[in-house]
C-alpha cells in the first residue's frame, strides 16, 4: 500500500466503547477503516478499545475483544459507541451513561454505530438533536426519547459534536466520513478503495426498510408487493389490489391489516414515498415528473407527504443531498467504487 506523504495534524486517539453482547462488526468495521487510514497516512490515528470494567468483552457472536478500562480523564479525540443486542441492557447502566456524559465534555467527537445511539440517548446527549440508528429500531428510539429528531433513512448524521450512524455496516460509512473530515477526501477514498466499499453509499436505509421486510415476511402478499412496486403510477385502490389476488375488497382489507400491520393505502403511500425520495435524491428529474410517475400525481400532494414523513419537502432534500460534504447517505454522480 502506497503511503501518502503530507503534513498531518497531531495523532488522534480514537476509542471504541464496548459492552457485553455488542455487535462485532459495529466495532471491527470502524477499527479496520482507521487502521487502513493510519497505514496510508502514518501518524494519523491511535486506536484503543474501552469498556467500563476492562478485560475481555464478549460480543453477541461469542467472539471476545480485549479492552482497557474506560476513564473519563483519558485524552481522547473521538469516542465511538457500538451497538448490538446488549445495548438494551447497557443503556440502563448508570456508570456507562455517566461516563458518556463526562466524555461529552472533553471529547471532540462522540459517535454511535447502530443501536449505540440508545446509549447516547439514555445519557441525555441527543435531546433536541438529529440522530439515526438501525431502521428496525428507529421507531423505538423516537418513542423512548421523543425529544430526539430521529431520521430513520440516513446512513449517518452529524449534529454538532455528535455523530450517529445507521445499522451495523454503517459504522464503516461513519469512519470514512470522520477520516474525510480529519485527513481529507483523497485519503478517505483510498481507505474505501482498500476496503472495497462505497465511499459514499448510494441510497439511504429505505432500501432496507420495513416495507422491504413486510414484502418478505408477509408471505400471502409477497406477489402483491411486487405488483404494487411496478404499478405505482396507477391508483392502486383496495378494489384493484383485491382483484389482483382474487379476494373480495372487504376480506382483502382485513387480511392485509392483520398480516402486514398497516392498511393497503398506507402501504401504497410508503412505497411511493420510498421510490420518490430515491429519485429526488439521486436524479435531476423534475419534481412534477416524479410525482406523476410514482402515483402522487399532484406535486403538492407529494410535498405534503414528504413533509409529513421526512420533515422537509422534496426540493429541500434535493438541495441537501447535492451538497458534497453533507453528512448522510450522499449520492455520488460518479461510479460508486473508487478507481
Amino acid at each position: 500500500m502506497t503511503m501518502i506523504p503530507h503534513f498531518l495534524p497531531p495523532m488522534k486517539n480514537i476509542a471504541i466503547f464496548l459492552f457485553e453482547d455488542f455487535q462485532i462488526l459495529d466495532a471491527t468495521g470502524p477499527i479496520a477503516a482507521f487502521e487502513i487510514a493510519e497505514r496510508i497516512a502514518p501518524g494519523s490515528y491511535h486506536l484503543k478499545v474501552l469498556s467500563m470494567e476492562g478485560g475481555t468483552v464478549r460480543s453477541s457472536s461469542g467472539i471476545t475483544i480485549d479492552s482497557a478500562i474506560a476513564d473519563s480523564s483519558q485524552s481522547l479525540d473521538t469516542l465511538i459507541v457500538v451497538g448490538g443486542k446488549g445495548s438494551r441492557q447497557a443503556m440502563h447502566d448508570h456508570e456507562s451513561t455517566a461516563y458518556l456524559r463526562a466524555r461529552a465534555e472533553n471529547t471532540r467527537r462522540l459517535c454511535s454505530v447502530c443501536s449505540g445511539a440508545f446509549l447516547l440517548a439514555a445519557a441525555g446527549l441527543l435531546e433536541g438533536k438529529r440522530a439515526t440508528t438501525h431502521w428496525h429500531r428507529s421507531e423505538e428510539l423516537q418513542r423512548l426519547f421523543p425529544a430526539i429528531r430521529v431520521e430513520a433513512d440516513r446512513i449517518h448524521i452529524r449534529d454538532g459534536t455528535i455523530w450517529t450512524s445507521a445499522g451495523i455496516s454503517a459504522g464503516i460509512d461513519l469512519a470514512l466520513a470522520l477520516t474525510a473530515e480529519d485527513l481529507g477526501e483523497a485519503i478517505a477514498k483510498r481507505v474505501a478503495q482498500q476496503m472495497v466499499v462505497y465511499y459514499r453509499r448510494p441510497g439511504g436505509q429505505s432500501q432496507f426498510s420495513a416495507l422491504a421486510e413486510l414484502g418478505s415476511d408477509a408471505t400471502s402478499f409477497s406477489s402483491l408487493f411486487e405488483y404494487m412496486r411496478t404499478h405505482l403510477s396507477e391508483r392502486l385502490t383496495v378494489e384493484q389490489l383485491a382483484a389482483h389476488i382474487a379476494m373480495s375488497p372487504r376480506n382483502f382489507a382485513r387480511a392485509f391489516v392483520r398480516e402486514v400491520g398497516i392498511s393497503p393505502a398506507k402501504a401504497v403511500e410508503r412505497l411511493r414515498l420510498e421510490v420518490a425520495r430515491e429519485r429526488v435524491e439521486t436524479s435531476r428529474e423534475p419534481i412534477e415528473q416524479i410525482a406523476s410517475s410514482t402515483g402522487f400525481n399532484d406535486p403538492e400532494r407529494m410535498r405534503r407527504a414528504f413533509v409529513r414523513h421526512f420533515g422537509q419537502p422534496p426540493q429541500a432534500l434535493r438541495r441537501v443531498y447535492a451538497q458534497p460534504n453533507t453528512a448522510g447517505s450522499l449520492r455520488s454522480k460518479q461510479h460508486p467504487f473508487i478507481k
Side-chain angles (χ1 to χ4, degrees):
M1 180 182 300
T2 303
M3 294 184 294
I4 298 179
H6 73 306
F7 174 76
L8 287 175
M11 178 179 286
K12 294 175 171 57
N13 289 321
I14 308 288
I16 311 294
F17 183 75
L18 306 183
F19 45 80
E20 289 293 319
D21 283 331
F22 69 95
Q23 165 54 241
I24 196 162
L25 186 58
D26 284 9
T28 56
I31 287 172
F34 289 121
E35 174 207 352
I36 294 171
E38 167 64 21
R39 278 191 274 151
I40 294 173
S44 53
Y45 293 123
H46 174 71
L47 292 168
K48 58 180 68 178
V49 178
L50 305 176
S51 66
M52 290 311 300
E53 297 183 359
T56 58
V57 184
R58 182 184 182 279
S59 71
S60 56
S61 68
I63 302 294
T64 60
I65 294 181
D66 289 334
S67 68
I69 295 177
D71 179 352
S72 58
S73 67
Q74 296 168 321
S75 175
L76 290 182
D77 175 83
T78 302
L79 179 66
I80 300 176
V81 181
V82 302
K85 184 173 69 173
S87 63
R88 296 184 185 277
Q89 181 173 345
M91 65 182 286
H92 296 295
D93 179 61
H94 297 302
E95 290 186 2
S96 293
T97 53
Y99 169 73
L100 294 176
R101 282 192 294 272
R103 286 267 50 139
E105 298 295 325
N106 59 8
T107 304
R108 184 170 69 95
R109 296 180 301 208
L110 204 55
C111 312
S112 67
V113 180
C114 194
S115 53
F118 283 78
L119 276 75
L120 297 184
L125 301 175
L126 297 183
E127 289 197 15
K129 293 186 178 292
R130 297 162 54 241
T132 193
T133 187
H134 193 291
W135 64 264
H136 190 64
R137 294 191 65 184
S138 60
E139 291 185 4
E140 179 186 3
L141 182 64
Q142 188 69 84
R143 185 179 69 254
L144 293 177
F145 304 97
I148 301 174
R149 294 159 56 195
V150 178
E151 298 184 15
D153 189 46
R154 303 301 292 275
I155 299 297
H156 56 81
I157 291 176
R158 176 185 185 176
D159 194 327
T161 62
I162 305 289
W163 298 62
T164 54
S165 60
I168 309 180
S169 65
I172 298 173
D173 301 84
L174 171 68
L176 291 172
L178 297 175
T179 300
E181 181 183 66
D182 295 340
L183 308 177
E185 291 206 355
I187 291 179
K189 287 177 181 178
R190 288 283 304 279
V191 174
Q193 180 185 39
Q194 292 297 323
M195 297 186 75
V196 197
V197 298
Y198 290 105
Y199 172 53
R200 288 189 175 122
R201 191 192 306 214
Q205 290 196 86
S206 63
Q207 60 190 314
F208 315 109
S209 70
L211 274 182
E213 181 184 65
L214 290 173
S216 60
D217 290 346
T219 54
S220 298
F221 298 107
S222 296
S223 62
L224 181 63
F225 274 101
E226 184 57 33
Y227 173 80
M228 291 159 65
R229 288 187 179 96
T230 56
H231 292 77
L232 287 178
S233 62
E234 300 178 16
R235 291 186 61 197
L236 296 180
T237 63
V238 167
E239 290 75 16
Q240 180 181 348
L241 297 175
H244 181 73
I245 56 174
M247 293 180 68
S248 71
R250 175 177 292 186
N251 287 338
F252 162 71
R254 290 175 176 173
F256 192 94
V257 171
R258 183 171 60 249
E259 189 164 342
V260 178
I262 58 176
S263 70
K266 289 291 185 184
V268 169
E269 182 183 58
R270 287 173 62 180
L271 279 172
R272 285 177 170 146
L273 281 165
E274 287 190 359
V275 174
R277 178 172 181 169
E278 181 70 15
R279 287 164 64 177
V280 164
E281 294 173 352
T282 62
S283 75
R284 296 183 179 180
E285 187 178 359
I287 299 297
E288 294 79 5
Q289 186 173 319
I290 294 173
S292 175
S293 61
T294 55
F296 285 106
N297 297 321
D298 179 6
E300 176 58 23
R301 180 184 169 198
M302 187 172 84
R303 189 195 71 81
R304 290 195 300 268
F306 268 59
V307 171
R308 187 167 63 251
H309 287 269
F310 306 133
Q312 50 190 322
Q315 293 85 347
L317 277 175
R318 175 165 283 178
R319 286 194 296 270
V320 168
Y321 278 73
Q323 297 300 316
N325 293 316
T326 300
S329 51
L330 296 173
R331 276 66 164 167
S332 173
K333 294 286 189 278
Q334 301 174 349
H335 193 283
F337 287 100
I338 309 301
K339 297 298 184 183

